Amino acid sequence: MKKINCLIVDDEKLARDILEEYISRVEQLHLIATCTDGAEAFNVLQKQSIDLVFLDIKMPKLGGMDLLKTVPNMPPVILTTAYNDFALDSYQFNVVDYLLKPIPFDRFLKAIGKFNNLFMPAAAIAQEQQHSWQTAPFIYVRSEKKMVKVPLKDLLFIEGLKDYVQINLRDRTIITHQSLNSFEEKLPDVLFMRVHRSFIVGLQHINAFTMRSIELDKREIPIGESYAVNVQRRLQQT
């Protein structure tokens, strides 16, 4: 597995310590350096090969937004901040995700998943998919007062309806009252993708796609307008 070289930029020691600890839990990540402000980070970026930057926004000397404007060919960035004021402005830069402090570990992992989806080479994604089958070959969902096993390799797509969710497998459907958002959090990002407010699809089952829809096992799944850019970018990389 190719290591992702990471840089932490934050003036708060506690925030740096938490991110260091999170990074140490993920085998794929390798911490190159930590910096206390944007000026220090600027120097590191000139000398080191960095794949991913965890960047605070409000810092002395040179803040996060100023660093984004200053560095040409900035590596992908995950913003880590206590302020949500800059969320909209940040996406004009190479920002993968916007994490609000305090950052839960599961939300940190979700951001790493987004990075993988956008920037991992297709070969690395395939390797990660194989690993995901081995480590998480199935999930359980509650349906008709019992817990039902759902093999991930057979999961075509999940559709969110008014009061329930329909899980569509190769050979059957399962109805559950869990939310579609809960499935988005639970399913491996390298294998599944949210393409519409009402649909999550299994990437390995996609036969064809256009700007507006995905063809999947003789079904046409719409691509939501707000999801379109990410979906096209993701599918064209695989």
Side-chain angles (χ1 to χ4, degrees):
M1 179 187 296
K2 180 186 181 299
K3 294 288 187 179
I4 297 171
N5 291 332
C6 300
L7 172 66
I8 296 172
V9 189
D10 200 307
D11 62 322
E12 297 177 13
K13 184 179 186 305
L14 177 59
R16 294 195 304 272
D17 289 346
I18 289 172
L19 286 171
E20 282 189 44
E21 201 269 327
Y22 284 179
I23 288 171
S24 71
R25 292 195 212 175
V26 182
E27 184 181 357
Q28 182 186 19
L29 304 181
H30 174 60
L31 181 62
I32 295 294
T34 62
C35 301
T36 58
D37 60 64
E40 186 181 350
F42 181 87
N43 293 326
V44 172
L45 288 166
Q46 305 310 304
K47 299 174 183 176
Q48 299 279 358
S49 176
I50 302 296
D51 301 311
L52 179 60
V53 180
F54 295 91
L55 179 63
D56 190 18
I57 289 180
K58 293 194 174 182
M59 295 178 292
K61 297 184 181 178
L62 189 69
M65 295 300 292
D66 294 325
L67 182 66
L68 287 173
K69 296 171 184 175
T70 301
V71 178
N73 301 317
M74 183 77 174
V77 169
I78 294 176
L79 289 176
T80 58
T81 177
Y83 306 93
N84 59 10
D85 314 43
F86 301 91
L88 190 59
D89 292 339
S90 69
Y91 284 99
Q92 64 181 292
F93 302 102
N94 203 13
V95 171
V96 176
D97 208 346
Y98 193 103
L99 303 183
L100 288 175
K101 300 175 182 178
I103 303 167
F105 184 58
D106 60 345
R107 186 64 184 85
F108 173 87
L109 288 179
K110 192 74 177 176
I112 299 304
K114 287 185 178 181
F115 170 85
N116 286 337
N117 293 343
L118 294 172
F119 298 102
M120 276 181 66
I125 290 176
Q127 183 182 40
E128 190 68 17
Q129 285 178 339
Q130 183 179 12
H131 177 70
S132 295
W133 290 129
Q134 295 168 350
T135 57
F138 58 83
I139 59 173
Y140 281 99
V141 300
R142 182 173 294 280
S143 179
E144 297 181 352
K145 299 183 179 179
K146 56 187 175 184
M147 299 302 290
V148 179
K149 181 186 285 188
V150 178
L152 297 187
K153 64 182 177 62
D154 296 329
L155 204 170
L156 302 175
F157 65 94
I158 303 174
E159 181 176 4
L161 302 169
K162 184 177 180 182
D163 297 318
Y164 60 91
V165 167
Q166 179 172 290
I167 302 169
N168 295 270
L169 304 175
R170 288 179 182 273
D171 58 350
R172 61 194 164 114
T173 60
I174 299 171
I175 302 299
T176 178
H177 289 284
Q178 297 181 41
S179 69
L180 199 63
N181 287 341
S182 71
F183 279 100
E184 187 177 13
E185 293 290 333
K186 184 184 301 183
L187 294 170
D189 286 332
V190 293
L191 302 176
F192 297 92
M193 178 170 55
R194 184 85 170 258
V195 301
H196 188 279
R197 66 178 183 179
S198 300
F199 289 96
I200 296 173
V201 302
L203 295 173
Q204 69 277 14
H205 297 296
I206 294 175
N207 299 321
F209 65 92
T210 68
M211 292 295 293
R212 296 185 178 181
S213 65
I214 288 171
E215 182 184 304
L216 185 149
D217 193 48
K218 301 179 182 179
R219 285 286 303 270
E220 189 172 286
I221 306 296
I223 297 174
E225 185 177 348
S226 61
Y227 296 85
V229 173
N230 184 52
V231 169
Q232 295 297 320
R233 184 188 302 172
R234 174 84 183 274
L235 293 181
Q236 289 169 15
Q237 282 187 336
T238 58

